[in-house]
């Protein structure tokens, strides 16, 4: 199978240049174009990577580069479902990936391509989860890794990347400018910078979509009941990847109607939700971002325009939730369902609640573990006391 | 199937008293005795709980009480295997359980029994991982939870439990005395205290053993090649449960030779390893425990004597490793294999290295995520720098 890059805006094809995977005409992220004509699910195959091999860019999955990502649970949330009046409420628990976030889905694909393409070094820029994921998979692959993090990133997140042997550099300066600069450095030093909307990462994110399809079955997508998938949105790559999974499934006739995706942002940094509501394009930089949901605090998302186009194609929507709503949702998921996620993941429940009662399936994609953002939990709301042993 | 309790020292049977599951004659932890005569693996069944239903104490597995625990990867560690000269080196990554530790295996079984037995409240005492696990599963089950933690437990671990709605009480006083006191409180207030060597927890830990058997296959246990399973040991319950899995498999003829288990402790708190070396019984309290591996820092383990008896039955051994060795192992697992575990898990690699080169299978059971003990990582050893964007 020959792969190339393609601009989703103009359809132009480009050779694979991983050092600047954006359309020179439009600036949109380039996506993988598969040469093969007749792609299909390999029904007899065992693992998810074998079943969906026609839809992934690597020559082959190498178990030696995997940390056992994927296969995450899709859990019914009975208690919260009853409370918000949406009986089909489910959580896709992406926190259970090896480094505690969905990023591992994309990293394993990008890292495998780095090895196939002969790179010895990889890099990324990150506010947290991507750093730990990229550093861990680079260690597994035996590649060097260079991680640029925003000045002010917590010591916990820096340690969780650096312990894998990564070189971590805290960068003072504008984050979108750093995004561009990292690709220049990558080209100059032959480092594969696998950043947020990397085309291989996006293909990796599809796999969670395939798992949701496998778990719910084709009948869920026959158009009788709505299926909604709620996804926290930062740069846009994750949402784009998940929607692409259902484009693939539709293309081969496995489903009739793709899910209505709901992209969710914090109101304090909602450039894509704002553009969606106003019908604006392109997405503009969000002034003075301010939210505790750091993992989705990207004021100028490089995949924003493409995310909007894809959302419209599946009759999806964008939602923005307040800090109060997302913090409440974080507590509800932990105390009602036993799921301790980060504030960025909790926006999905807040958005589902806003819809009011309804039927069908509602899948909340919980993207990151609460263990990496423990300092953001409001400890005043917790029931913690001290006692002497004799006085219990 | 009727279950009862049985003393592994004297064989006496006792009715189920969850408020003090210890032999009144010997003080040993009581274990589950299954009434059924002909237990077998249900080969046609799908999930691990269905396949091994004859070996688990619940009436039935209730998916509504599960957070999707288990099914963790068994990963080959090629790089470290080559380095230490043990080509069959593998990691059973128990960090990938829902709350980031192996405890979830036991908690789901104990919590299901709490529901079957009609309890409305559960409790535990914990230095960290057990707190988060018990609180999360109680939330999922809709039960109240009461968690006693040692005074001095980190804010991160307390938050990770309290966010699930648990009442967390930091207790000043002797930890072994608190263990006993908690059961008295449980009896007085009708709270099921599912502590470290709870008989249901131990049955839950067996499931990881069944998974290792399923992954390696019966031929690995035919006696031609040694199979070693390295397990960090604190109270003893985890090791006891894993060995019991292979007792079950031997009893039904599925294996010929059980693995040689290696229980591992930190030299700074090694009551069971010390007793093993000296041939002493019973295990005595370890004076002045001092180790960074907090999750296995139990100076007077309630399952110590039973762990020793079980170990001898499988020709196993105990090992103790220094702080220097375990910290080195933690860094090696992260930088060599992409696995960021806590110091308590890392003792397994340190113990395997001590054996020198050898053949067969060596399974390191990595019990807990490094994300809960980030503050214990030696940041001086990390490659972290600061730069201006213009100066990259």
């Amino acid at each position: 199978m020959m792969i190339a890059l393609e601009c989703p805006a103009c359809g132009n094809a480009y050779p694979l240049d991983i050092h600047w995977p954006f359309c020179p005409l439009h600036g949109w992220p380039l996506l993988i174009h598969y040469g093969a004509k007749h792609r299909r699910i390999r029904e007899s195959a065992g693992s998810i990577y074998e079943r969906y091999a026609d839809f992934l860019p690597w020559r082959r999955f190498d178990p030696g580069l995997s940390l056992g990502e994927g296969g995450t649970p899709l859990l019914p949330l009975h208690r919260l479902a009853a409370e918000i009046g949406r009986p089909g409420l489910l959580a896709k628990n992406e926190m259970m990936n090896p480094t505690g976030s969905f990023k591992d889905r994309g990293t394993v694909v990008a890292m495998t391509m780095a090895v196939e393409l002969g790179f010895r070094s990889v890099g990324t820029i990150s506010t947290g989860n991507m750093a730990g994921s990229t550093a861990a998979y680079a260690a597994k692959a035996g590649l060097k890794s260079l991680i640029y993090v925003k000045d002010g990133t917590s010591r916990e997140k820096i340690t969780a990347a650096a312990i894998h042997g990564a070189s971590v550099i805290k960068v003072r300066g504008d984050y979108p400018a750093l995004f561009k600069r990292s690709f220049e450095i990558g080209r100059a030093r032959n480092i594969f910078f696998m950043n947020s909307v990397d085309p291989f990462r996006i293909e990796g994110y599809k796999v969670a979509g395939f798992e949701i399809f496998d778990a719910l079955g084709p009948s869920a997508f026959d158009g009788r009941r709505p299926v909604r998938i709620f996804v926290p949105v930062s740069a846009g790559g994750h949402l784009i990847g998940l929607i692409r999974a259902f484009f693939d499934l539709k293309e081969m006739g496995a489903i009739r109607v793709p899910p209505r995706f709901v992209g969710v942002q914090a109101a304090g940094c909602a450039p894509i939700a704002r553009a969606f509501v106003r019908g604006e394009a392109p997405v503009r930089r969000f002034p003075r971002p301010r939210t505790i949901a750091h993992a989705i605090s990207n004021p100028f998302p490089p995949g924003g325009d493409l995310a909007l186009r894809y959302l419209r194609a599946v009759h999806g929507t964008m939602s923005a939730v307040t800090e109060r709503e997302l913090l409440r949702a974080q507590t509800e998921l932990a105390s009602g369902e036993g799921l301790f996620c980060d504030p960025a993941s909790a926006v999905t429940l807040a958005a589902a609640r806003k819809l009011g009662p309804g039927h069908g399936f509602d899948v909340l994609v919980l993207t990151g573990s609460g263990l990496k953002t423990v300092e953001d939990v409001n400890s005043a709301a917790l029931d913690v006391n001290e006692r002497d042993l004799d006085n219990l």
Side-chain angles (χ1 to χ4, degrees), chain A:
Chain A
M1 187 161 57
M2 279 293 296
I3 56 169
L5 293 179
E6 179 177 62
C7 173
C10 62
N12 281 353
Y14 296 95
L16 188 61
D17 175 11
I18 65 97
H19 294 305
W20 187 249
F22 295 90
C23 179
L25 301 176
H26 303 84
W28 284 33
L30 298 175
L31 299 175
I32 303 295
H33 177 78
Y34 293 84
K37 281 281 180 288
H38 299 292
R39 299 190 290 165
R40 59 181 180 81
I41 304 174
R42 302 187 186 180
E43 292 295 350
S44 60
S47 83
I48 187 105
Y49 293 141
E50 290 165 16
R51 282 168 57 71
Y52 291 93
D54 288 357
F55 305 89
L56 294 167
W58 49 37
R59 256 197 308 263
R60 61 174 190 87
F61 167 64
D62 178 351
L65 303 178
S66 169
L67 293 171
E69 62 291 330
T72 59
L74 184 67
L75 292 170
L77 307 181
H78 298 300
R79 196 163 298 109
L80 293 179
E83 200 197 306
I84 71 174
R86 302 189 70 86
L89 193 68
L90 299 157
K92 181 67 174 165
N93 188 354
E94 292 291 292
M95 307 186 263
M96 279 177 68
N97 279 299
T99 75
S101 90
F102 78 97
K103 301 283 189 187
D104 297 339
R105 303 264 194 185
T107 306
V108 69
V109 175
M111 201 66 68
T112 302
M113 294 308 301
V115 171
E116 287 190 4
L117 296 169
F119 284 93
R120 308 292 302 273
S121 300
V122 300
T124 200
I125 68 169
S126 173
T127 56
N129 284 328
M130 191 99 98
S133 178
T134 304
Y137 281 82
K140 181 72 178 167
L143 304 185
K144 284 190 183 166
S145 61
L146 173 60
I147 315 281
Y148 295 133
V149 299
K150 238 194 260 198
D151 194 30
T153 300
S154 72
R155 195 183 144 230
E156 284 70 21
K157 286 180 175 163
I158 289 173
T159 300
I163 193 162
H164 293 293
S167 294
V168 179
I169 298 179
K170 297 192 265 185
V171 183
R172 291 175 294 258
D174 180 60
Y175 195 68
L178 173 60
F179 184 79
K180 191 151 180 246
R181 180 84 184 104
S182 71
F183 285 109
E184 295 166 5
I185 291 168
R187 190 184 298 278
R189 301 196 208 150
N190 203 30
I191 300 169
F192 178 179
F193 265 86
M194 35 185 75
N195 291 337
S196 54
V197 291
D198 177 86
F200 299 124
R201 279 197 188 278
I202 286 173
E203 296 305 289
Y205 299 149
K206 291 194 313 194
V207 177
F210 295 141
E211 286 179 8
I212 292 170
F213 166 72
D214 284 351
L216 295 181
S219 68
F221 303 93
D222 61 8
R224 282 180 302 144
R225 292 160 300 184
V227 179
R228 286 187 173 79
I229 301 183
F230 296 79
V231 187
V233 179
S234 183
H238 192 202
L239 179 65
I240 291 165
L242 288 168
I243 296 178
R244 270 173 79 77
F246 291 91
F247 285 168
D248 286 347
L249 291 163
K250 179 120 173 62
E251 182 194 307
M252 68 179 129
I255 62 169
R256 214 166 69 76
V257 181
R260 297 183 189 180
F261 278 83
V262 183
V264 196
Q265 301 195 295
C269 183
I272 306 176
R274 188 182 61 175
F276 183 87
V277 170
R278 296 185 184 170
E280 283 176 356
V283 172
R284 289 180 304 142
R285 183 190 275 254
F286 196 86
R288 294 175 303 282
R290 198 185 156 85
T291 174
I292 202 166
H294 302 296
I296 52 170
S297 176
N298 189 327
F300 197 43
D305 296 315
L306 177 53
L308 283 178
R309 170 177 291 206
Y310 270 21
L311 267 182
R312 292 192 177 111
V314 296
H315 306 291
T317 183
M318 285 295 301
S319 180
V321 303
T322 66
E323 298 294 288
R324 195 195 173 91
E325 288 165 339
L326 70 89
L327 285 171
R328 175 183 171 192
Q330 185 190 26
T331 304
E332 286 174 330
L333 282 160
S335 63
E337 300 289 347
L339 298 167
F340 178 27
C341 63
D342 66 2
S345 305
V347 299
T348 56
L349 174 62
R353 176 189 292 281
K354 272 179 191 289
L355 290 185
H359 287 282
F361 291 107
D362 297 295
V363 178
L364 312 182
V365 183
L366 304 182
T367 43
S369 166
L371 291 177
K372 292 194 209 173
T373 57
V374 170
E375 72 281 5
D376 294 332
V377 172
N378 176 12
S379 39
L382 307 178
D383 179 12
V384 179
N385 293 284
E386 285 186 50
R387 263 338 133 67
D388 287 321
L389 175 57
D390 303 332
N391 198 22
L392 284 177

